[in-house]
Amino acid sequence: MSTAFEVNGEVFYQPHAGVQLEVVQGIARRVLTGEGPSKWFLRGNRGGGKSFTMRRGVCHALAMAVPGLRYAVVRRNMPDLHKNHLIYLGKEMRLLGGTYHSTLHEARYENGSIGFYSQCEDEKDVEKIVGAEVAVVFVDEAPQIQWQHLRTISPSLRVAVNADGSQPYYPVEIYGGNPLGASIEELDRFFVDQDVSPDEDPSYDPLEWKHVPMHRADNPSLNEAEYLKQFAGLPAHYRKAWVDGVRMDSRTLFEVIPTKDGKPYHLIQELPTIDCVPLLRVPWIQVYRAFDMGFFPDPAYCLWLAVIGKRVIAFHEEVWFKTIAKDIAVRIQEITADLTKAGVVMTYADPVIDMKTGADAVTMRDIIEMAGVPIECSVNDRVLYADAIHGLLGEEIEPGVPKFQIYERGCPMLTKYLPKMRWDEKNARKMADHKFDHPAVTLAYFALSSGILSRTSEERSTPTPVWMEWLNDAPTRKGRRVYA
């Protein structure tokens, strides 16, 4: 059975076997029968044929097959939309027997279907797209568009039912792009990581959000050797995203190295033993806790760390939503007793919990301490956060053995989000705000206040921290990676 889309006996579009065919058939199945996910993210390097496949193999094909169907093709700005789509529409619509209205940027088909082509740079653009009432939306290079704009487009997807109540076809939303841009973090979280909690989004269903890696290898029509020549001289994070399809960020702050020379480095899968005794059963190790209360909708977060000589292992974390301080303190004690036989040296926390507001006579710190958890307030300084965590990650107790490690199974949030921290665009010495920075901030409380770092706080607060030296001499310095 042929999978080609033919017009007047000639092939208009032929998907390549593999990913292209899977995507075209999967999206068509969703539109025609309602089976399958309603949101797709085609993510990969440049040259994978995403734009061509979506315009010809999905939008044109469905518009011709389903009378009266409406779709929208969106890019961030009009110049990009013109270069990647509009310059082809006149010829394509003539082949399909329809017309292209260049002033309105509309493709009109003989069967009553309409295609809208629009930019999405600000809220006014979003409002125009939402008013179109379409069954299919393809957002090309979606990571370049703000997440809020992407999600605000969704209400444009609506299909009126027939008089008998049946559904003529079903809406589908398609995002395409390489892993670089303003909204890539949220796109990855919803489509790839799928770690959206019910508290954050009660209507989120991971089965409705499908991630499809789509790379140059899926597009054998491309002369790859010639195509790659155009990427010479690009910054590393652009090359990683556009050439390799790997998400990188020029403001990556922390270099978390999973393995080194074939051995676990910052991330470990098993806790060590001491004289054949499991680490957490050894009574003389030092256990610390660090705590960030969080304020709704942010969660409260607690991190447990074991110190064995000069070595530090983050071995457990807990997260609480909508839980009062007293109940959290009780749970911290219960969890600690279950985890380890060692006594807790100290719990470090945000100094904000010791601030009195208005006529309050009792602070949050007082409440937690009265429930049995002694607290020492750390500092609230994002410049020091960055340098303190770099101090933990950058030191070795001996060649090849890092000072700090994370037990992945016990600390999944710290493992996941520590590498995602960025420096602030306005102040490269600061750790930027991030929706999930609680694990990193909590780790910084421990690093700053426990005295575990080799350098003093005065040394850490110098105008140019050691970890930023590459900003001045990155081209000549060896052994320092600019991008994590």
Side-chain angles (χ1 to χ4, degrees), residues 68-227:
L69 181 139
R70 294 185 176 193
Y71 69 83
V73 174
V74 179
R75 278 202 67 145
R76 183 172 62 88
N77 56 51
M78 194 54 69
D80 288 344
L81 185 67
H82 180 77
K83 288 183 291 186
N84 287 272
H85 294 284
L86 300 183
I87 59 173
Y88 306 109
L89 274 182
K91 179 180 178 180
E92 290 175 349
M93 292 306 296
R94 285 193 295 273
L95 288 172
L96 296 172
T99 57
Y100 169 55
H101 294 258
S102 57
T103 304
L104 299 175
H105 307 302
E106 291 180 4
R108 291 184 173 267
Y109 303 79
E110 285 186 320
N111 64 359
S113 295
I114 303 175
F116 303 97
Y117 290 76
S118 177
Q119 70 176 27
C120 183
E121 202 147 21
D122 54 35
E123 292 183 5
K124 291 182 179 179
D125 295 331
V126 174
E127 291 172 1
K128 294 176 183 176
I129 299 167
V130 171
E133 297 188 18
V134 297
V136 178
V137 169
F138 169 49
V139 185
D140 200 0
E141 295 302 334
Q144 296 179 0
I145 299 173
Q146 294 181 37
W147 177 248
Q148 180 180 348
H149 291 347
L150 291 178
R151 297 312 306 136
T152 307
I153 289 173
S154 290
S156 67
L157 288 161
R158 48 189 183 270
V159 176
V161 297
N162 295 322
D164 60 1
S166 62
Q167 185 88 9
Y169 42 85
Y170 296 81
V172 63
E173 193 171 3
I174 311 153
Y175 299 136
N178 56 79
L180 185 73
S183 63
I184 186 59
E185 187 164 309
E186 293 298 327
L187 283 165
D188 276 1
R189 195 162 69 85
F190 276 76
F191 283 96
V192 183
D193 301 330
Q194 296 198 331
D195 63 353
V196 182
S197 70
D199 285 313
E200 181 183 357
D201 189 342
S203 62
Y204 177 74
D205 179 359
L207 296 177
E208 287 286 297
W209 300 68
K210 184 174 180 64
H211 165 235
V212 180
M214 198 170 181
H215 301 293
R216 279 190 312 281
D218 303 311
N219 184 20
S221 301
L222 182 73
N223 184 332
E224 184 169 9
E226 287 297 316
Y227 184 71

